[in-house]
Amino acid sequence: MNSMSEQFRDWVPTRVSWKDSTPSVEWCYMGNERFTDPFFEDTIRRLMRVPFNLLFRRETSIEILGEVSEQSEVVAPTGFIFHMSRCGSTLIAQMLAALRRNIVISEAPPVDSIISSNASDCDRGRWLAWMIGTLGRQRNEGERNYFLKLDSWNILELDLIRRTFPAVPWIFLYRNPVEVIASHMRQRGLQMVPGGPMTSLLTDVNLTQALEMRAEEYCARVLARFCAFALQNARDQNAMLINYDQLPGAVTKEIAKHFRLSFTDAELAQMNDAAKLDAKTPKLFFEPDSERKRTEASDAARRAAAEWVEPIYEQLENIRISFSK
């Protein structure tokens, strides 16, 4: 009988669902396709339009995920990318994904489902190792580096991730908070919607208080929590702080050094070509937007940033600059 790794050779886990606290895994046929879209879900959505995937679905227990991971040739994670949101993390992922030797998983819902679940730390750690291992299988020739860009709120579970992968270097990317709040006020992410699925991010306010809060303040307080957690762990030996203003150059310099990478001239050209495109809409060219976001930011956004985020931002900057000397 074929091993589980052979049976699921061309399949990838796409979703973790929960039935009476028991997780199961849904799979999608991927073949030799690579994750090159801005987000994991973009690639899966495209694959799910293929007739085969419309007709054939696979769902298994999470233990099968463990068997697939443990029986496969897996590329160990090269680096984790944490971020405060709307701060250039997708640009980093797209530059890395430009090289065929890199596996890049960008904000994968099945990873977040495990990290954010109410299961015990023991179960979450085991399942997370299986999920990340399965997504990091060497499915194409020459793949030898593996990067995971986590969801912004996953920084709050850094302890779990470090215990599961203690040797993996990680970065935390951040940006001028006024610019980030301005971006969310234009189109808020799920984590910035009080009463939505991410309401528990603010542990010091109840739902009524969250709903009565100005949108700018709510956003600023969520960002402050992300940044504060990164600040608490910024001196970890595997950590590196990166400011949005350092991009895109930092990807091939500071970040590459931190992740123990080196690139040929041809690879540098490929990555720099990717940086010229809009990271979230690769059919368009990138246009700097920092000045526009600062200009369009409301007075409420500026006040919220000043009160909740800027003091932490300045501390992150002080540590980053001191480490770069």
Side-chain angles (χ1 to χ4, degrees), residues 16 23 99 103 107 109 131 134 136-137 141 158 163 170 201 230 246 266 268 298 306:
V16 175
L99 305 184
I103 301 169
E107 300 188 13
M131 179 62 71
T134 299
R137 287 173 297 167
E141 185 178 356
L158 179 61
R163 284 196 302 271
W170 57 276
L201 290 175
Q246 295 174 263
L268 288 171
S298 65

Side-chain angles (χ1 to χ4, degrees), residues 275-295:
K276 296 174 184 177
L277 303 176
D278 185 287
K280 293 179 179 176
T281 313
K283 293 181 180 179
L284 303 177
F285 285 103
F286 170 75
E287 294 184 8
D289 63 355
S290 292
E291 184 175 350
R292 174 176 58 79
K293 285 179 176 174
R294 289 194 298 270
T295 300

Side-chain angles (χ1 to χ4, degrees), residues 181-284:
I181 294 171
S183 176
H184 277 290
M185 291 306 98
R186 174 177 287 191
Q187 183 178 4
R188 276 190 276 178
L190 286 177
Q191 72 272 43
M192 301 304 178
V193 180
M198 310 298 296
T199 298
S200 60
L201 290 175
L202 290 187
T203 56
D204 57 342
V205 299
N206 59 39
L207 179 58
T208 300
Q209 292 171 321
L211 292 171
E212 292 175 348
M213 200 176 290
R214 285 193 69 114
E216 292 87 350
E217 179 183 345
Y218 187 87
C219 179
R221 291 175 69 159
V222 170
L223 294 175
R225 187 155 186 243
F226 296 164
C227 291
F229 208 90
L231 180 63
Q232 294 169 19
N233 295 276
R235 298 185 186 278
D236 177 79
Q237 64 178 357
N238 287 325
M240 172 173 275
L241 299 176
I242 297 290
N243 191 306
Y244 171 83
D245 292 339
Q246 295 174 263
L247 301 179
V251 179
T252 56
K253 296 174 184 175
E254 292 91 341
I255 295 174
K257 182 178 180 181
H258 185 60
F259 287 162
R260 305 180 187 94
L261 302 170
S262 61
F263 303 108
T264 66
D265 289 344
E267 289 174 332
L268 288 171
Q270 283 181 270
M271 296 172 75
N272 289 328
D273 284 344
K276 296 174 184 177
L277 303 176
D278 185 287
K280 293 179 179 176
T281 313
K283 293 181 180 179
L284 303 177

